[in-house]
Amino acid sequence: GIASVIVYMPKLHTEVISLSIFRVPLPTKGALDLAAMTAGGEYHPLALQAAPMTSDEISRVVGRYDFGPDFYRKNATLELANGPDGLVLKWPGGPDGPYVASPVLVTDDHHFIDRHYWTRFSVETDASGRAVGLTFGKFKGQRSPDGPTTPVH
């Protein structure tokens, strides 16, 4: 299914229509930002981290994160991994193998955007800087015990 948002701006004789796959929170925020840009109002531009993450920063966030039965994919484990072209978020299942590797945009060392679903997510750390959880939209996953990771092709 699809998710849709329509923002009607009668003074400008304009409508902004945003479509996305179902359950992805992009349409509302994207439509409101587009409407604000069109009307000359305030919006929140996408701000990406200019410098690549250091290997130390990457090592603090990569890992597997377990989600509950209410997640998009019931009881899924997502893996944030270091791929050949940067960070990727591995989703279970896919047409070409055991997972789908989605490229990740970095907004800072703990905040990211999954390019597959265009959804913001963040990694929470404890006082020692160790990753303990990943928040994807409204869902919170807990860090899995460290173990072997699947290679990124």
Side-chain angles (χ1 to χ4, degrees), residues 24 26 29 44-49 80 87-89 91 102-108 110-123 135-136:
V24 176
L26 176 69
K29 174 149 180 35
H44 302 286
L46 178 62
L48 301 177
Q49 182 169 308
L80 185 57
L87 289 174
V88 295
L89 191 60
W91 285 83
S102 175
V104 170
L105 297 175
V106 179
T107 59
D108 68 34
H110 286 84
H111 296 88
F112 311 91
I113 298 172
D114 175 351
R115 293 255 332 263
H116 187 79
Y117 292 108
W118 285 103
T119 300
R120 293 178 186 272
F121 68 94
S122 61
V123 174
T135 300
F136 190 92

Side-chain angles (χ1 to χ4, degrees), residues 24-49:
V24 176
L26 176 69
T28 301
K29 174 149 180 35
L32 293 174
D33 281 348
L34 286 171
M37 285 186 261
T38 302
E42 284 190 38
Y43 65 97
H44 302 286
L46 178 62
L48 301 177
Q49 182 169 308

